Amino acid sequence: MSDFTSKLELARQKLSLKRLMEGRGRGPQNGNWASFKCPYCAGSAGVFAAQHGDRFKCFQVSCKSQTSDGRAAWDEIGFLAFELG
């Protein structure tokens, strides 16, 4: 495992995608991370477990997050990049 990968995994343990989203007011209002109203388009979204941590995905094709595509989903870095422009 590279030094960068090790540091990234440590950062994910300290500040997960769910905590980042909650901290920026983007977490689910219903408390259900598997299915909630997307904070960007009000379509159907969710956070799901992947091989290297959680991923955010909105299923609405017109969502500005552009995560509806089959393989598109955000990790912590993708979320912060979108949020911070």
Side-chain angles (χ1 to χ4, degrees):
M1 185 180 288
S2 74
D3 188 47
F4 173 78
T5 304
S6 298
K7 288 179 181 179
L8 183 58
E9 290 304 317
L10 181 60
R12 284 187 171 133
Q13 290 172 12
K14 290 181 177 182
L15 193 56
S16 68
L17 176 61
K18 290 176 182 176
R19 285 188 55 207
L20 283 171
M21 291 181 72
E22 286 174 333
R24 297 195 59 85
R26 304 294 191 191
Q29 299 297 319
N30 66 3
N32 181 358
W33 286 97
S35 180
F36 61 96
K37 189 188 303 186
C38 177
Y40 304 107
C41 74
S44 178
V47 172
F48 60 92
Q51 184 177 4
H52 297 287
D54 290 339
R55 300 289 184 266
F56 166 84
K57 184 171 206 56
C58 177
F59 298 97
Q60 182 72 30
V61 174
S62 61
C63 182
K64 66 182 183 177
S65 74
Q66 298 180 344
T67 58
S68 68
D69 186 83
R71 292 188 177 209
W74 289 341
D75 63 1
E76 295 84 354
I77 295 169
F79 172 73
L80 285 175
F82 185 82
E83 282 284 303
L84 302 175

